[in-house]
Amino acid sequence: MALMGQMMSMPLLISSLIQHAARHSGDTEIVSKRVEGDLHRTTWAAVELRSRQLAQALARLGLSAGERVGTLGWNGYRHLEIYYGTSGSGLVCHTINPRLFPEQIAWIANDADDRALCFDLTFLPLVEKIAAQLPQVRHFILMTDRAHMPAQTAIPNLRCYEELVEAEDGRYVWPEFDENTASSICYTSGTTGHPKGAVYSHRSSVLHAYGAALPDAMAASRRDVILPVVPMFHVNAWGLPYSTALVGCKLVMPGPHLDGKSLYELFETEKVTFSAGVPTVWLGLLNYVGANQLKFSTFKRTVIGGSACPPAMLRTLMDDYGVDVIHAWGMTEMSPLGTLSRLSSRQLELPQEQQRRLLEKQGKAIFGVDMTVVDDAGRELPWDGKSSGNLVVRGPWVIESYFGHDGSPLIRVAGADGRDAGLWFPTGDVAAIDADGFMQITDRSKDVIKSGGEWISSIDVENIAMAHPAVHEAAVIAVPHPKWDERPLLVVVRKPGEAGAALTREDVLGFYEGKIAKWQVPDDVVFVDEIPHTATGKMLKLKLREQFKSHQLPGC
Ligand code: ADP
């Protein structure tokens, strides 16, 4: 008979993270730029107490274990209290992306069967508009104090967050339950089809918090001051609300103020050392510091992910500003972290240019995620850095099924040795993995350009355009072609100023010379004022493809 371990059997619960932070880093600060306009300061101990008060208040409202509480909120201490107050008490925290269309928000809240909705003042008009479409929501809670409550509102029974919290005494003991209980739910952004819910468990969230904090992942430490630019409604801010509690560091929350100037000022005044966000926000910040010839005094490291980090951005941050860039890849279905580009001791001895090329890739899997690439029949492809195929993953923080959907999204994989390698989650990304395990995404399968039987990676083509000094942003999309099926069209936003204004189609196309094979160079360039972005800040190629589907390519 197997000998069982004789360790304490304690479930991995989200409440243990906030209790640890309160007990061992209780006076460490949490600073929030509030919607109300001011800078608010609190501590882990105070947040833990108020999370308990909130748990009491939600129970008093009649919410019971397993019920979903929706949020429409920016990054701030109240949102953090809701994370812990809900999950910690057995409720399920459902962060909704407020940048979606109102109908989509209502659809998602109904699909998740949200019973309460907490929202920041910014979103009062939005919630007023959709409240009537949310019949299951019994409580609308405005995340503010009495002084900021509206005199009149169309929302029946609108409650004040501060009043609810302050009415409780905090004498509440975090309950203990099965670690596989649902803790939170996030919806994919639904760039194709309806969004789908990924339900995380306490166990998966705590394991992810450990994994994310490791030195070869985000390297979060209590010596850090961490500012998550990535919103708390984008895959739980990549787990940072949990990992920061786990390490007990100072946390700085930017609220809705994500423009270059506001971020820069917060980085400097609060001595931020580490941040994380999608490439688009760094574009704004870099433009601001560049235009004003500023430097960062404490900012040393950033995780960039959510979409491919253009090499030009990585190099600017590293060479001009001394900020280490950790390129990361993941997705809602993976909590979200999968890979990060961190070098081994051996790779740190390579010439700098080779190191840079590795850092530009999406990187290596962290423990907790296994990955490989397979062909269309599910057969594993070699890890030679060249064979590109469908990227599949598995691990304790990867989903097994979608909320409310019968049927499994998983696929069966045959290992390189031909043996059954079990069930894996297909990511929808196309990638190659090299012999050192460094993964590089070539595309999302739906964004690949199929030209005459060959594939063109839109990411590669975009990255070159992004390195042009007069280009602000660039997207490559496939447009139909009579001979080649599809050919690449480059959509460019010019940089503000003289250089941008003078930029021509020929300049951009000429810039490709010698950088990629001729057949991969876009057939045409169009200039636009703005590239549409998804609610999580990614280029919305679906819309661009729609807009330019009848674009006449030269010579057609
Ligand atoms: P959505 O499908 O809602 O956009 P996610 O935020 O979960 O949702 O996005 C996951 C996808 O984003 C990945 O499957 C991948 O296509 C893309 N992605 C994330 N990080 C990177 C990266 N570093 N490089 C390239 N693509 C990325």
Side-chain angles (χ1 to χ4, degrees):
M1 214 170 79
L3 175 66
M4 299 308 285
Q6 294 177 335
M7 294 294 119
M8 289 186 191
S9 172
M10 291 175 75
L12 301 175
L13 296 177
I14 283 178
S15 54
S16 65
L17 295 170
I18 190 79
Q19 287 182 89
H20 176 80
R23 199 163 153 76
H24 300 281
S25 310
D27 59 359
T28 302
E29 271 187 313
I30 293 165
V31 182
S32 308
K33 194 96 181 256
R34 290 205 281 198
V35 178
E36 292 91 337
D38 58 347
L39 201 61
H40 173 272
R41 290 177 187 277
T42 181
T43 61
W44 281 112
V47 164
E48 195 262 345
L49 170 62
R50 281 169 48 97
S51 304
R52 271 186 277 137
Q53 289 172 283
L54 178 66
Q56 288 177 304
L58 295 174
R60 197 178 297 281
L61 290 177
L63 290 156
S64 57
E67 287 190 317
R68 271 73 74 196
V69 175
T71 71
L72 287 165
W74 301 110
N75 291 7
Y77 68 103
R78 289 189 185 116
H79 207 172
L80 191 65
E81 291 161 4
I82 297 170
Y83 262 50
Y84 285 105
T86 54
S87 304
S89 64
L91 295 165
V92 181
C93 182
H94 174 206
T95 49
I96 310 177
N97 188 333
R99 295 188 186 130
L100 295 168
F101 292 121
E103 304 72 48
Q104 279 175 307
I105 293 175
W107 187 92
I108 290 177
N110 286 329
D111 190 65
D113 197 11
D114 290 344
R115 294 305 167 97
L117 185 62
C118 304
F119 53 100
D120 267 327
L121 265 174
T122 326
F123 307 117
L124 180 62
L126 168 71
V127 177
E128 283 177 330
K129 207 188 285 175
I130 60 171
Q133 298 166 47
L134 304 173
Q136 293 104 300
V137 173
R138 296 197 302 264
H139 307 287
F140 290 93
I141 303 168
L142 189 55
M143 292 155 66
T144 192
D145 52 18
R146 175 50 48 196
H148 289 85
M149 289 298 283
Q152 269 186 331
T153 171
I155 302 170
N157 245 331
L158 180 66
R159 293 176 191 276
C160 168
Y161 180 90
E162 287 300 328
E163 275 186 353
L164 285 176
V165 169
E166 281 161 18
E168 304 296 336
D169 60 12
R171 272 191 231 131
Y172 176 85
V173 179
W174 294 112
E176 202 169 284
F177 43 79
D178 185 339
E179 64 183 17
N180 288 303
T181 306
S183 58
S184 57
I185 175 165
C186 288
Y187 277 68
T188 60
S189 64
T191 32
T192 51
H194 265 313
K196 285 191 280 224
V199 183
Y200 310 119
S201 67
H202 282 258
R203 173 185 157 81
S204 71
S205 305
V206 173
L207 289 176
H208 182 270
Y210 271 117
L214 285 172
D216 285 325
M218 297 201 184
S221 148
R222 70 162 59 108
R223 275 168 297 183
D224 277 314
V225 176
I226 299 187
L227 185 151
V229 178
V230 51
M232 291 170 80
F233 53 76
H234 188 191
V235 213
N236 294 330
W238 302 349
L240 282 170
Y242 305 129
S243 292
T244 49
L246 182 140
V247 299
C249 65
K250 174 173 166 182
L251 182 58
V252 183
M253 302 288 222
H257 311 278
L258 301 178
D259 60 288
K261 180 172 189 290
S262 310
L263 281 178
Y264 178 77
E265 285 168 5
L266 206 52
F267 273 55
E268 289 300 301
T269 54
E270 295 306 320
K271 301 191 168 57
V272 171
T273 59
F274 172 58
S275 186
V278 294
T280 356
V281 294
W282 302 122
L283 278 183
L285 183 63
L286 283 174
N287 275 351
Y288 177 76
V289 287
N292 295 284
Q293 298 186 331
L294 300 166
K295 291 278 175 208
F296 296 106
S297 349
T298 51
F299 184 31
K300 285 282 167 300
R301 234 164 56 246
T302 185
V303 167
I304 301 186
S307 51
C309 171
M313 178 181 286
L314 184 138
R315 284 166 197 249
T316 306
L317 276 162
M318 292 184 89
D319 299 338
D320 301 351
Y321 296 100
V323 177
D324 259 347
V325 173
I326 306 163
H327 190 191
W329 166 85
M331 60 197 309
T332 308
E333 289 89 336
M334 310 175 59
S335 307
L337 280 186
T339 63
L340 298 108
S341 63
R342 300 287 252 170
L343 303 180
S344 66
S345 55
R346 191 166 44 83
Q347 289 163 334
L348 283 167
E349 284 169 10
L350 292 171
Q352 203 198 27
E353 194 46 38
Q354 264 171 279
Q355 292 190 26
R356 284 296 158 85
R357 261 185 277 146
L358 284 170
L359 292 176
E360 286 165 12
K361 296 187 178 194
Q362 278 73 9
K364 283 181 69 88
I366 39 172
F367 176 73
V369 171
D370 194 6
M371 66 171 176
T372 193
V373 275
V374 299
D375 64 15
D376 287 340
R379 281 179 304 238
E380 190 170 17
L381 295 169
W383 289 20
D384 56 10
K386 291 195 270 299
S387 307
S388 98
N390 305 316
L391 182 63
V392 296
V393 291
R394 64 176 179 180
W397 62 70
V398 177
I399 66 158
E400 197 163 52
S401 56
Y402 286 102
F403 177 70
H405 283 252
D406 293 333
S408 167
L410 308 187
I411 61 163
R412 194 157 285 284
V413 165
D417 53 7
R419 267 189 262 165
D420 181 4
L423 293 169
W424 296 64
F425 177 78
T427 62
D429 288 326
V430 181
I433 304 175
D434 73 14
D436 287 328
F438 260 75
M439 186 272 285
Q440 181 162 30
I441 302 258
T442 18
D443 243 316
R444 275 190 140 176
S445 49
K446 50 187 183 289
D447 293 338
V448 177
I449 299 148
K450 298 182 191 89
S451 168
E454 296 283 352
W455 284 11
I456 301 174
S457 152
S458 65
I459 295 180
D460 284 352
V461 182
E462 278 155 13
N463 282 345
I464 293 173
M466 289 292 288
H468 192 292
V471 169
H472 172 70
E473 202 170 18
V476 176
I477 50 163
V479 290
H481 189 280
K483 179 166 174 208
W484 302 108
D485 283 344
E486 291 178 351
R487 287 294 301 155
L489 170 69
L490 184 68
V491 184
V492 170
V493 179
R494 294 180 166 106
K495 269 229 175 101
E498 272 172 43
L503 184 71
T504 64
R505 171 182 181 277
E506 286 64 36
D507 293 337
V508 180
L509 292 179
F511 196 64
Y512 280 94
E513 242 163 69
K515 298 195 173 89
I516 42 170
K518 275 216 167 63
W519 61 273
Q520 297 175 326
V521 176
D523 279 17
D524 206 1
V525 182
V526 286
F527 293 97
V528 293
D529 291 338
E530 209 181 337
I531 287 177
H533 287 91
T534 66
T536 47
K538 305 179 193 199
M539 293 192 288
L540 193 48
K541 295 205 182 164
L542 196 71
K543 194 143 174 212
L544 284 178
R545 280 197 289 265
E546 192 52 40
Q547 194 179 338
F548 292 105
K549 66 173 186 258
S550 332
H551 181 82
Q552 193 71 31
L553 291 172
C556 281

